[in-house]
Amino acid sequence: MAMVAERIFNFSPGPAVLPLAVLEQARDEMVSLPGVGASVLEISHRSPPFDRILEETLQGLRDLLAIGPDHDLIFLQGGASLQFSMVPMNLLRGRDAAADYILTGTWGSTAVKEARREGKVHVAWDGAATKHDRLPTADEIRLSPSPAYVHVTSNETIQGVQWKHDPDVGDAPLVCDCSSDFLSRPIDVGRHGLIYACAQKNAGIAGVTAVIVRKDLLSRSRDDLPSMLDYRTFVQAGSRPNTPPVFAIYILGLVSRWIRDTMGGLAGMHRHNAAKARLLYDVLDASGGFYAGHARPDCRSDMNVTFRLPDERHETAFVKGAAAHGLVDLKGHRSVGGIRASIYNAMPVSGVEALRDYMLDFQRSPRL
Ligand code: PMP
């Protein structure tokens, strides 16, 4: 189909590129779901066909992530941003202990502001002094005594800084904003108290947020919470206390199946993503400083590759020239500047190779 031939390589930080096979299946089923005769956009969220879609999507994610019986998985709306509030509302409100936040970039720093509205907060480490270009070492993290939980951001989307292993937080529940690397690699769910992620980067489209919560933590939620902000409401109603984001859940199901059947599960997905990232970091490292990475090498993200060029004139020309080659949305976030190449799950190797070749060419002969 002509539509396919016209697709560009889309390096958007999110909403982001989707697997072509998923888009094609969604297109083919858009007007009539097989065996149903109506679109997923038209059927009741309480109909048997949607029961099946929801059940398969929940089970598919449970299988991919190896979520054990101690954890619930629920789907919510409000984006990852609502979790900045819901986490402290449910896990911190009314407690004496502080919630600890490890700040490795913009998103964690945004999350901590919302937690302050709910209770005591302790910043266990903040990388702001070096513009969030790295992670803390184990002995730099200063936890409070018995924190209510410890919050981290597994991948800072704007700075391009990604944890390579979970920090050691002792007995405290580890809470992780996994929004920009969810389903890009395996997660040790058992080590976490709570994991949340919006879907519109690696896992699907905007509108649905996955929350994985350890069952014993649900007893912390207080009865004075508005019911739609209480995790228990979603657990008890199987993610359907009201109309859920049906299409976003359907797409999440298709993406999980694509990861399982085509990409070799999360371990295969991880290998694929790491190999893509290496292609670009090798260019940075061999560029003699022409491409200067924002993140320190041991903290580099496999998802968002961030770097600067010698000056803004070069950066503007780089972005413009890239677009002319069908490589789009490479401008870095305004707070960091420079270039950001987001190379999530569905970015094919061919797209990263095209960007690599363009980078090599641009360094040889920048067209300013
Ligand atoms: N956390 C991280 C790590 C993100 O990358 C984003 C979105 N870029 C958010 C939170 C906010 O997500 P949402 O727009 O779904 O609220």
Side-chain angles (χ1 to χ4, degrees):
M1 251 195 163
M3 184 189 93
V4 173
E6 286 161 17
R7 278 174 66 80
I8 40 94
F9 289 121
N10 166 20
F11 294 91
S12 163
V17 58
L18 286 163
L20 184 58
V22 166
L23 290 174
E24 287 175 340
Q25 186 174 348
R27 176 199 62 201
D28 293 347
E29 296 180 354
M30 176 62 74
V31 172
S32 172
L33 273 175
V36 177
S39 172
V40 65
L41 298 172
E42 302 172 302
I43 57 176
S44 164
H45 61 292
R46 305 218 182 265
S47 61
F50 189 73
D51 287 346
R52 239 178 357 258
I53 289 171
L54 178 60
E55 185 44 43
E56 282 176 16
T57 305
L58 287 164
Q59 193 55 49
L61 278 189
R62 291 197 83 101
D63 293 345
L64 267 185
L65 289 158
I67 302 176
D70 293 343
H71 287 75
D72 282 311
L73 167 65
I74 48 177
F75 295 146
L76 294 93
Q77 304 193 53
S81 300
L82 183 60
Q83 297 313 305
F84 296 165
S85 302
M86 277 182 78
V87 165
M89 275 180 182
N90 283 269
L91 303 187
L92 180 62
R93 189 180 277 196
R95 300 180 84 82
D96 289 334
D100 288 9
Y101 280 70
I102 301 177
L103 307 183
T104 54
T106 304
W107 290 109
S109 308
T110 307
V112 74
K113 289 187 194 131
E114 297 301 318
R116 288 203 168 94
R117 298 171 190 272
E118 291 297 333
K120 255 190 282 173
V121 162
H122 167 74
V123 173
W125 187 76
D126 186 353
T130 59
K131 296 191 175 159
H132 295 295
D133 66 349
R134 69 178 182 96
L135 300 160
T137 58
D139 51 341
E140 285 176 316
I141 299 172
R142 298 262 181 271
L143 299 181
S144 65
S146 308
Y149 59 84
V150 182
H151 182 283
V152 296
T153 311
S154 55
N155 181 69
E156 279 288 358
T157 323
I158 290 176
Q159 284 78 13
V161 166
Q162 184 180 33
W163 288 88
K164 301 298 167 193
H165 57 84
D166 301 321
D168 183 5
V169 297
D171 291 337
L174 179 60
V175 173
C176 184
D177 175 1
C178 276
S179 291
S180 52
D181 60 6
F182 188 59
L183 304 191
S184 76
R185 58 179 183 176
I187 307 177
D188 188 348
V189 173
R191 288 197 55 177
H192 289 79
L194 189 146
I195 293 166
Y196 62 93
C198 55
Q200 68 267 22
K201 293 157 197 300
N202 285 293
I205 63 170
V208 64
T209 303
V211 173
I212 302 165
V213 55
R214 211 173 67 209
K215 288 178 177 164
D216 64 289
L217 293 174
L218 293 169
S219 62
R220 292 196 189 180
S221 304
R222 291 157 43 122
D223 289 336
D224 59 359
L225 277 176
S227 51
M228 291 301 284
L229 297 175
D230 185 332
Y231 289 130
R232 294 174 301 182
T233 305
F234 289 82
V235 169
Q236 283 156 14
S239 292
R240 261 187 307 196
N242 67 334
T243 316
V246 292
F247 193 64
I249 290 172
Y250 161 78
I251 296 287
L252 176 57
L254 296 188
V255 172
S256 335
R257 206 171 316 148
W258 171 79
I259 294 172
R260 184 193 68 191
D261 296 343
T262 309
M263 302 312 294
L266 292 183
M269 199 70 252
H270 187 201
R271 280 193 298 279
H272 180 78
N273 286 327
K276 285 187 298 180
R278 178 101 324 269
L279 287 177
L280 299 185
Y281 289 121
D282 281 349
V283 176
L284 265 54
D285 291 340
S287 72
F290 183 80
Y291 295 115
H294 177 78
R296 297 203 190 166
D298 57 339
C299 312
R300 285 168 166 174
S301 167
D302 286 348
M303 302 280 101
N304 314 95
V305 179
T306 50
F307 55 92
R308 307 287 319 228
L309 273 72
D311 54 39
E312 278 187 26
R313 236 173 99 233
H314 279 80
E315 288 167 355
T316 306
F318 179 93
V319 171
K320 198 164 158 229
H325 285 75
L327 309 167
V328 307
D329 223 340
L330 284 161
K331 195 168 164 23
H333 191 271
R334 60 194 175 282
S335 61
V336 172
I339 308 297
R340 170 173 51 170
S342 298
I343 50 173
Y344 298 124
N345 282 351
M347 171 57 66
V349 175
S350 56
V352 180
E353 287 171 343
L355 176 58
R356 174 201 60 193
D357 294 346
Y358 171 73
M359 289 171 74
L360 293 171
D361 186 51
F362 186 87
Q363 183 175 3
R364 272 193 301 269
S365 47
R367 282 163 293 276
L368 300 180

